Amino acid sequence: MKTLNKVLFIVACLLLTITANAQEENDEQKRDRVEKSTKPFNPSYFSLSENSFYVLEAMVVDNKIVIDSSATIALVPGKMPYPSGNFKVSIMDKQGKQISEYFMQDPLIARSCEGENNNLTPLEKGRVYISLPKNNNIGTLIFSRGKERVGTVDVGDLIIRTQRDPNKGGQ
């Protein structure tokens, strides 16, 4: 009986090893197939204008985003950050139609990182950065937290200035 159990155990180990080796070969074959069908990385990817987005830099005054003379929009190479958070940015065109919307971490909340304290404080004064899809027809941004509208700003002029001289970042 003990010999039978040992034989069954050895057979099971051999089958498991053979199955694992077959799976490894399949994974390698899959990887080869994917690599053959994937275009090689092109270093000029980030210099192509369609692979970029805008970043709005604006002032916060009394917990409101304000477009003043120091506000800028810069063209940034790469993809927009992955949207997550509870602060909604609705992007409207110059005629008032919605282009898109996404969620981000609330830029009007200052987060404390002191030890175990997770204090959240409204940002009364400072600067915020808001990512925007590259679209030359952007006119207005509407900011919301849940169902509460937090603010509206017009960025159409900044977009136009960025188009004229993208190296100056809208200044």
Side-chain angles (χ1 to χ4, degrees), residues 6 11 20 29 33-36 39 43 45 47 62-63 68 73 88 95 104 108 116 122 132 144 146 155 160:
K6 288 181 183 178
V11 169
Q29 290 169 352
R33 190 171 354 107
V34 167
E35 287 180 359
K36 287 178 184 174
K39 290 193 276 185
Y45 174 87
S47 63
D62 296 328
N63 203 270
D68 61 3
I73 288 188
K88 183 168 75 171
Q95 289 75 36
M104 63 181 283
L108 299 174
E116 295 180 9
L132 304 170
S144 307
V155 295
I160 291 170

Side-chain angles (χ1 to χ4, degrees), residues 3-144:
T3 307
L4 181 62
N5 285 341
K6 288 181 183 178
V7 170
L8 288 174
F9 179 74
I10 291 172
V11 169
C13 287
L14 286 172
L15 286 173
L16 188 60
T17 303
I18 291 170
T19 305
N21 285 341
Q23 182 63 37
E24 282 180 22
E25 291 172 3
N26 287 339
D27 288 344
E28 285 299 318
Q29 290 169 352
K30 289 178 186 175
R31 176 177 292 197
D32 288 341
R33 190 171 354 107
V34 167
E35 287 180 359
K36 287 178 184 174
S37 64
T38 302
K39 290 193 276 185
F41 176 72
N42 183 356
S44 68
Y45 174 87
F46 295 108
S47 63
L48 299 174
S49 64
E50 63 266 13
N51 299 327
S52 58
F53 62 98
Y54 290 133
V55 173
L56 167 67
E57 180 181 359
M59 285 295 298
V60 174
V61 178
D62 296 328
N63 203 270
K64 300 277 184 212
I65 297 173
V66 177
I67 303 299
D68 61 3
S69 62
S70 69
T72 62
I73 288 188
L75 185 62
V76 178
K79 292 184 178 182
M80 275 187 58
Y82 185 78
S84 67
N86 64 344
F87 190 82
K88 183 168 75 171
V89 179
S90 298
I91 302 161
M92 313 302 275
D93 68 11
K94 294 173 183 170
Q95 289 75 36
K97 293 180 186 172
Q98 185 170 344
I99 295 172
S100 69
E101 68 181 19
Y102 71 95
F103 289 87
M104 63 181 283
Q105 293 295 321
D106 194 336
L108 299 174
I109 300 291
R111 293 161 182 81
S112 169
C113 55
E114 295 178 10
E116 295 180 9
N117 291 342
N118 256 348
N119 296 330
L120 301 177
T121 307
L123 182 63
E124 294 298 321
K125 185 178 180 182
R127 295 196 71 75
V128 293
Y129 298 88
I130 299 173
S131 300
L132 304 170
K134 185 175 178 206
N135 185 323
N136 297 332
N137 199 28
I138 295 175
T140 306
L141 305 177
I142 300 172
F143 306 116
S144 307

Side-chain angles (χ1 to χ4, degrees), residues 54 72-75 157-171:
Y54 290 133
T72 62
I73 288 188
L75 185 62
D157 291 340
L158 288 174
I159 299 281
I160 291 170
R161 287 195 305 232
T162 301
Q163 287 174 325
R164 279 191 226 137
D165 191 357
N167 296 325
K168 288 194 174 185
Q171 294 181 341

